[in-house]
Amino acid sequence: MPTLPDTRDFTALTATRRARWVVLLGALTALGAFSVDMYLPAFPELRTDLATTATLVQLTLTGTLVGTAVGQLVVGPLSDALGRRAPLLAGLCLHLLASVGCALAPTIEVLGALRLLQGLGSAAAAVTALAVVRDLFDGAGASRLVARLTLVLGASPIFAPTLGGWLLSVTSWRGIFGVLALLAVVLLLVVALRLPETLPRSRRRPAGLRGTARTYRVLLGDRVTWGVVLTAGLTNSMIFSYVAGAPFVLQELYGLSAGQFALAFAVIGVCFVAGTQVTAQLVARTSPQRLLVVGLTGAMVSALVLVADAASRPATLLEVVGLLCVTTVFIGVAIPTTAAIVLGRNGWAAGSAAALVGCAQFGLGAAVFPLVALGGLRGDLTTGVAVAAAGAAGLVVMATVALPVLRAERALVTV
């Protein structure tokens, strides 16, 4: 397992050491996605077993997303003050206890409360993974590692429901939460035994509410930081728009079976992963802000083509899937760049900076679910409009808030 590297250039490490860091940090990054998505196939069984409504079952998902978003704002400053290991170990313990509680939950209300705690626990893993990247690595190598972690984050929602469906064939929905508890145990052991502390005492921030408020005030006082954080939320809401709208488009509109939908969803998901890897390869040759603009523009344009195609005539399934593939490639290009920009600019408070990015991504992204469902348009139109609107808003924020400052700073450096 990883030991502290002797270089801040991630690309200078041996292939084996790079793989070890990707596996360890990727597993921490994936914990939140698996916690959110692995029990989705169990919704019907869960509703029957707990004698509840579909709405209350859906709220258990919302609770996890809220816990993850809010938890990152709490854990980020703690990790800057106490180091990375202590908050991470505490978060994994909370996730473990909440997962065991979920497996034993007697009512939907108890399950919802425990899912909120589960989200708080997984938030510690998400924040720490990004903060460790900034603690140890700089420049293009750090951006490349972030892109690798985004690959894991993008692939996890694809495989988590599939794994959940397989588990349902051998156990119940309670068994799924037992597997999540087991995953937390494994991560706890690995972190406790093999992950070194990456934040030296000399670089830690003061603890307490005043120190936390001061850190967030300084971070959000920087136009580039808050502009890119807001753009991160808008960028993530594009992929949430697709996830929320995909069942309406592919199953209700085109009549795909559950198996056919899973196949189409996987193909489009692979395109998203491919986009993140394009970023990983290009980030050494061009700036992350340029890749962000290219990704937002490409996703917006392809989504608008989807809207125009669907509005003018009945589009074929192949056309819709093809346009969604192109759209998700560009979203995959954009998403890794936001964390790279914010962390690269705020290494002095990497945990808090990572928390802001994560909170924006989960907060704005989660808000998309009800909006897409309430759009009132046909599924393909609603999805295309939501993706295009988020991409356009992200471009406006970047053009008016962040890019002018970045250009001015670059001009000063070259004078």
Side-chain angles (χ1 to χ4, degrees):
M1 294 303 269
T3 56
L4 288 177
D6 53 7
T7 175
R8 294 190 65 84
D9 183 1
F10 178 70
T11 59
L13 299 179
T14 64
T16 300
R17 295 190 72 187
R18 290 199 304 270
R20 287 173 177 171
W21 281 110
V22 170
V23 169
L24 175 56
L25 299 181
L28 292 174
T29 301
L31 179 63
F34 272 83
S35 298
V36 169
D37 295 322
M38 199 159 73
Y39 84 131
L40 295 182
F43 273 16
E45 179 186 318
L46 194 158
R47 180 177 61 181
T48 301
D49 191 34
L50 295 183
T52 186
T53 65
T55 300
L56 289 177
V57 172
Q58 287 283 354
L59 285 176
T60 65
L61 174 62
T62 303
T64 311
L65 294 172
V66 171
T68 303
V70 174
Q72 295 192 54
L73 293 178
V74 176
V75 174
L78 285 176
S79 72
D80 286 335
L82 304 176
R84 310 307 181 197
R85 278 173 54 87
L88 174 58
L89 290 170
L92 290 173
C93 286
L94 177 60
H95 186 279
L96 169 59
L97 294 175
S99 297
V100 173
C102 287
L104 302 174
T107 66
I108 192 66
E109 291 80 11
V110 172
L111 180 63
L114 290 168
R115 287 286 287 167
L116 178 67
L117 293 178
Q118 199 178 42
L120 290 171
S122 63
V127 168
T128 302
L130 284 178
V132 166
V133 173
R134 186 58 185 86
D135 289 343
L136 300 180
F137 306 110
D138 288 323
S143 298
R144 181 171 294 183
L145 179 53
V146 170
R148 295 283 186 255
L149 299 184
T150 306
L151 182 152
V152 175
L153 189 62
S156 297
I158 298 171
F159 295 110
T162 302
L163 176 59
W166 177 80
L167 287 172
L168 280 177
S169 67
V170 296
T171 184
S172 67
W173 65 268
R174 297 182 186 274
I176 293 176
F177 287 108
V179 171
L180 287 172
L182 180 61
L183 177 59
V185 169
V186 172
L187 288 175
L188 258 174
L189 291 174
V190 172
V191 170
L193 297 176
R194 307 307 297 268
L195 178 66
E197 177 57 64
T198 61
L199 184 67
R201 293 186 179 275
S202 60
R203 290 172 51 197
R204 295 182 187 180
R205 308 286 302 170
L209 290 177
R210 288 187 178 181
T212 298
R214 187 181 306 112
T215 298
Y216 280 131
R217 186 166 58 248
V218 173
L219 287 171
L220 295 175
D222 175 38
R223 282 184 56 180
V224 173
T225 297
W226 74 259
V228 177
V229 164
L230 179 55
T231 304
L234 292 167
T235 303
N236 222 50
S237 69
M238 289 194 292
I239 199 66
F240 273 77
S241 298
Y242 157 67
V243 171
F248 297 102
V249 176
L250 299 177
Q251 289 182 288
E252 292 189 4
L253 191 59
Y254 288 94
L256 296 189
S257 66
Q260 292 169 331
F261 171 74
L263 178 60
F265 196 81
V267 169
I268 299 169
V270 168
C271 292
F272 171 80
V273 171
T276 67
Q277 296 318 289
V278 168
T279 297
Q281 298 303 317
L282 293 180
V283 74
R285 306 175 191 174
T286 187
S287 65
Q289 55 263 28
R290 180 172 296 176
L291 289 172
L292 175 55
V293 171
V294 169
L296 289 171
T297 303
M300 181 188 68
V301 170
S302 57
L304 288 174
V305 172
L306 173 62
V307 172
D309 196 26
S312 61
R313 58 182 175 82
T316 67
L317 175 63
L318 184 60
E319 289 173 337
V320 170
V321 171
L323 286 169
L324 288 174
C325 283
V326 173
T327 301
T328 53
V329 166
F330 280 109
I331 296 174
V333 170
I335 282 181
T337 62
T338 53
I341 296 170
V342 173
L343 291 172
R345 193 173 182 85
N346 299 287
W348 60 276
S352 300
L356 284 175
V357 173
C359 182
Q361 288 176 327
F362 277 91
L364 285 179
V368 165
F369 277 109
L371 293 178
V372 170
L374 296 173
L377 299 174
R378 209 171 64 222
D380 48 358
L381 292 172
T382 301
T383 303
V385 168
V387 172
L395 285 171
V396 169
V397 171
M398 285 298 295
T400 58
V401 178
L403 289 180
V405 177
L406 289 169
R407 291 193 186 103
E409 291 175 348
R410 189 163 57 248
L412 288 175
V413 171
T414 56
V415 170

